[in-house]
Amino acid sequence: MGKLDTDSFEQFLESIKQAGVVIFNEHDLRERMAEAHNWRFAFTTMLANGHRAGIFFEDKGHRIDEKKIHRAFSKFKLPKSSEAILATTLNSVH
């Protein structure tokens, strides 16, 4: 069962990347999500506080497909609050 959960977060990350999200320090993010009991909570925590660990999310080239992001969050059952945090993060330019 753990393998299915791992596959889910891997597929989720690929989905948001295909929607245009660039993940900096993705390796560390993946490690944290793999180690967590609840990868959805780990992802949300990294969205909000990942900058401390060098984990950033960016809309490089303004190519974000918001519909694809919404579908990914819905499909993988992440809370709406996580989607809102990502939107805020992507909209805040460095």
Side-chain angles (χ1 to χ4, degrees):
M1 183 128 179
K3 180 65 175 150
L4 290 176
D5 204 30
T6 300
D7 288 343
S8 294
F9 89 74
E10 295 280 346
Q11 293 170 359
F12 169 73
L13 291 177
E14 289 307 314
S15 295
I16 65 170
K17 286 171 39 181
Q18 289 175 3
V21 176
V22 177
I23 304 170
F24 293 91
N25 205 358
E26 183 178 344
H27 176 74
D28 284 356
L29 174 64
R30 287 179 182 269
E31 280 185 355
R32 289 170 188 255
M33 290 173 74
E35 293 171 352
H37 176 67
N38 182 337
W39 68 261
R40 290 163 185 84
F41 179 76
F43 177 77
T44 301
T45 300
M46 289 298 99
L47 273 175
N49 302 306
H51 59 278
R52 295 179 185 155
I55 298 170
F56 296 91
F57 301 85
E58 187 176 288
D59 175 2
K60 193 165 187 155
H62 305 288
R63 296 186 177 181
I64 292 293
D65 185 331
E66 293 178 15
K67 289 180 183 177
K68 283 185 179 180
I69 290 174
H70 180 72
R71 281 193 299 268
F73 275 76
S74 294
K75 177 180 178 182
F76 292 97
K77 298 176 177 68
L78 275 90
K80 290 186 185 241
S81 60
S82 294
E83 189 174 352
I85 294 169
L86 179 61
T88 299
T89 300
L90 295 175
N91 289 327
S92 65
V93 181
H94 302 291

